[in-house]
């Protein structure tokens, strides 16, 4: 199967839905989204509900990974997390309140999100496999696939990641680790990026949808 890998959405629901409406062929492509559905943009609840609906509708064709913002939100609901509240959590909670929704009701789905998606040719995660991480799937570790911002390891496959917004505003390739970073800062605002991968693991097409004003203003 071909893959459509989509970068960090960060509450930019209208931009995300536009990208999928125009570029996702669910009949022949598996959607893999890199996490960070929540925070920063104006439509975190709508984005989360949209993702849940898609994943439940076509569970074998839609995979939503866990990002560090999902991790932070889960930590807040379960233990309290002032760091998340200070960064962007307070606004996210207000968005849920305005929709008469409780973020806590979606914890089960968020907690069950996988940390990676892998084929024979491609490894996909939120932040990538660090060169120095002994336990890359330990969620709270600063060099895990949820958090690392350092140099990545060449793992013998193409890696596709997000997490750190690309300085150029477009997808960027790291030769040493054979990694594409497709976080192009949807919330900044800049745009939401995706990459199509063919069934042999080759990049077939890059997609860039400029952030719609409704997602970040008002």
């Amino acid at each position: 199967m071909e893959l459509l890998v989509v970068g960090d959405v960060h509450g930019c629901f209208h931009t995300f839905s536009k990208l999928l409406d125009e570029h996702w062929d669910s009949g022949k492509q598996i959607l893999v989204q890199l996490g960070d559905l929540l925070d920063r943009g104006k439509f975190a609840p709508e984005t989360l509900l949209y993702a849940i609906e898609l994943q439940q509708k076509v569970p074998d064709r839609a995979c939503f990974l866990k990002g560090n913002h999902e991790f932070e939100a889960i930590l807040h609901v379960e233990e309290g997390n002032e760091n998340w509240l200070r960064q962007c959590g307070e606004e996210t909670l207000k968005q849920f309140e305005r929709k008469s929704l409780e973020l806590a009701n979606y914890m089960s789905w968020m907690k069950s999100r996988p940390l990676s998606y892998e084929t024979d040719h491609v490894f996909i995660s939120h932040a990538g496999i660090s060169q120095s991480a002994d336990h890359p799937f330990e969620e709270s570790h600063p060099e895990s696939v949820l958090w690392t911002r350092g140099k990545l390891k060449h793992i013998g496959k193409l890696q596709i990641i997000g997490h750190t917004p690309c300085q150029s505003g477009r997808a960027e390739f790291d030769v040493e680790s054979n990694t594409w970073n497709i976080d192009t800062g949807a919330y900044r605002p800049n745009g939401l990026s995706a990459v199509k991968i063919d069934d042999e693991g080759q990049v077939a097409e890059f997609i860039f949808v400029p952030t719609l004003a409704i997602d970040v203003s008002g």
Side-chain angles (χ1 to χ4, degrees):
M1 290 287 291
E2 297 177 4
L3 302 177
L4 176 67
V5 188
V6 181
D8 306 40
V9 176
H10 280 302
C12 295
F13 164 72
H14 298 87
T15 308
F16 183 36
S17 59
K18 176 180 171 66
L19 188 154
L20 295 190
D21 287 345
E22 295 180 355
H23 299 283
W24 181 34
D25 182 350
S26 61
K28 68 175 187 177
Q29 295 169 341
I30 295 174
L31 167 67
V32 184
Q33 195 277 325
L34 292 175
D36 282 7
L37 293 168
L38 301 175
D39 298 337
R40 306 199 189 285
K42 298 296 184 180
F43 295 93
E46 290 84 353
T47 304
L48 181 61
L49 291 173
Y50 181 54
I52 292 172
E53 179 184 3
L54 290 177
Q55 195 268 326
Q56 292 176 342
K57 184 178 179 180
V58 285
D60 60 335
R61 300 293 174 89
C63 177
F64 292 87
L65 302 182
K66 185 182 292 182
N68 64 295
H69 281 258
E70 282 76 39
F71 175 87
E72 292 264 36
I74 292 166
L75 186 64
H76 171 73
V77 170
E78 294 190 337
E79 304 178 18
N81 184 354
E82 293 297 323
N83 181 63
W84 179 66
L85 290 177
R86 285 192 299 269
Q87 287 189 332
C88 41
E90 285 189 1
E91 174 56 29
T92 294
L93 291 176
K94 288 177 182 177
Q95 291 176 19
F96 276 83
E97 290 171 4
R98 286 195 290 268
K99 298 287 292 183
S100 299
L101 298 172
E102 291 284 345
L103 180 60
N105 292 338
Y106 307 100
M107 286 299 101
S108 177
W109 188 86
M110 291 171 60
K111 290 174 69 174
S112 69
R113 295 307 85 213
L115 295 178
S116 64
Y117 183 96
E118 189 171 7
T119 72
D120 290 341
H121 308 288
V122 181
F123 180 87
I124 305 167
S125 66
H126 183 63
I129 300 289
S130 169
Q131 280 189 359
S132 55
D134 294 326
H135 304 286
F137 299 105
E138 184 180 321
E139 294 187 6
S140 62
H141 196 284
E143 292 184 351
S144 74
V145 295
L146 291 183
W147 293 101
T148 189
R149 295 191 192 275
K151 290 186 176 181
L152 300 183
K153 183 183 296 185
H154 194 302
I155 61 172
K157 296 183 178 184
L158 176 67
Q159 287 198 68
I160 304 176
I161 66 164
H163 184 52
T164 302
C166 298
Q167 293 186 358
S168 68
R170 293 294 187 272
E172 296 176 351
F173 185 67
D174 178 63
V175 175
E176 291 185 11
S177 63
N178 192 30
T179 300
W180 277 105
N181 180 350
I182 61 169
D183 180 2
T184 50
Y187 69 91
R188 290 198 158 185
N190 183 47
L192 180 63
S193 284
V195 57
K196 291 183 179 180
I197 305 294
D198 67 22
D199 54 11
E200 296 182 351
Q202 300 298 311
V203 172
E205 181 184 0
F206 285 99
I207 297 158
F208 180 84
V209 176
T211 305
L212 298 177
I214 188 175
D215 282 328
V216 291
S217 62

